[in-house]
Structure formats: C-alpha cells, structure tokens
C-alpha cells in the first residue's frame, strides 16, 4: 500500500508536535536515517544485514529514507509532482474520493486521523495494487482489496498511468 502524505504545519504546530514526540519517545534524532536496499534487490547476496538495519531503525525511530531502490529518478519526480498537484486541490475536490466511499478497501483521500490516540496534522492519499471485482479477495471483502479511486481532474491526467508504472 502506498501512502502519499501532505503535511501541513505552521511553526507553532511543528513545535507542539515535536514536544509531543519527545515526550512520547524520550529521544530525538538529528537526521532521517538513510538505508540502502540494494542487497534486497540482488540475487545471491546476504540480505540479513539490511533486514536487521530496517528492523532496528523501525523499532528505535519508526521511519527511514530508502536509497538504491532501482526506481528511475524521473518516475519518482513525476509521483512527487502529481502529489503536489493533488494536495493543492480544494478540499471539496479531494473529498470526492474520500476513502469512506469504499469501506474496507481503504483507498482514496483522507483528511487526517488519530495515531496512537493523537490527532495527525496531515492529509493523505491511499493507493494500492488494484484488484478486479471478480478477484476472490474482493468478493470476500478482504481489507485493502479493490480498486483505487481516481479523480477526474484535468490537472491529474496521467497520474494513474504514472502510479501503475511506479509500483511495478
């Protein structure tokens, strides 16, 4: 499942979030950890070190930046560009594909949520592998099985194609 976020912070909100984070985790980092996943994409290479690095980073920090992933930079940039366009649209436009429209499929726009009981100051767009309506998982109502919701918006022409290329 791919999550695209648009974080909306003012300086005061950022300060409040940082204080909450420090109070909750009692630790601070000076930069986002960077992890190369080259070994995970190569055959005949010991992957345990990379897997352990990811595991430790997620337990201790909770997020990281991936490098050496093999996705062309132009494709990554296209995804960022479409994301900026999407999140710059008026709320009423984004709400047309609110994830509440599709229930357990968990696909589409959401204006925010609670994480560990604290309100997030972000909005997001959940996209995932698309499953046809006759797929057994869709028929049984499995969570995240179904189709993505796509806005019919001239500014987003090509987003669906770029997204499908990106997740290949």
């Amino acid at each position: 499942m791919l999550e695209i976020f648009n974080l909306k912070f003012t300086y005061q909100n950022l300060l409040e979030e940082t204080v909450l984070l420090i109070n909750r985790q009692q630790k601070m980092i000076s930069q986002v950890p960077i992890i190369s996943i080259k070994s995970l994409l190569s055959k005949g290479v010991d992957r345990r070190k990379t897997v352990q690095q990811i595991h430790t980073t997620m337990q201790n920090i909770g997020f990281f930046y991936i490098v050496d992933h093999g996705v062309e930079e132009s494709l990554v940039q296209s995804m960022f560009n479409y994301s900026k366009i999407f999140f710059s649209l008026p709320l009423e436009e984004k709400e047309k594909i609110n994830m509440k429209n599709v229930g357990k499929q968990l696909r589409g726009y959401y204006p925010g949520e609670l994480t560990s009981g604290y309100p997030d100051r972000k909005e997001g767009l959940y996209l995932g592998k698309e499953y046809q309506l006759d797929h057994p998982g869709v028929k049984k109502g499995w969570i995240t099985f179904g189709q993505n919701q796509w806005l019919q918006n001239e500014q987003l022409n090509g987003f669906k194609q770029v997204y499908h290329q990106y997740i290949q």
Side-chain angles (χ1 to χ4, degrees), residues 18-84:
T18 303
V19 170
L20 282 173
L21 181 65
I22 292 169
N23 288 339
R24 276 187 263 156
Q25 296 184 353
Q26 295 298 313
K27 58 185 157 191
M28 187 84 146
I29 62 168
S30 60
Q31 66 182 34
V32 174
I34 298 172
I35 298 178
S36 170
I37 62 165
K38 193 173 194 174
S39 71
L40 301 179
L41 303 173
S42 305
K43 292 183 179 181
V45 176
D46 188 357
R47 299 173 175 150
R48 288 179 284 198
K49 181 179 176 185
T50 304
V51 170
Q52 183 60 49
Q53 186 179 14
I54 291 170
H55 177 76
T56 301
T57 303
M58 290 303 293
Q59 280 191 319
N60 294 326
I61 298 170
F63 56 89
F64 56 93
Y65 186 84
I66 297 173
V67 295
D68 301 324
H69 45 66
V71 179
E72 291 179 30
E73 184 59 33
S74 62
L75 192 53
V76 172
Q77 195 57 50
S78 289
M79 284 296 292
F80 276 121
N81 291 341
Y82 278 117
S83 297
K84 287 177 189 175

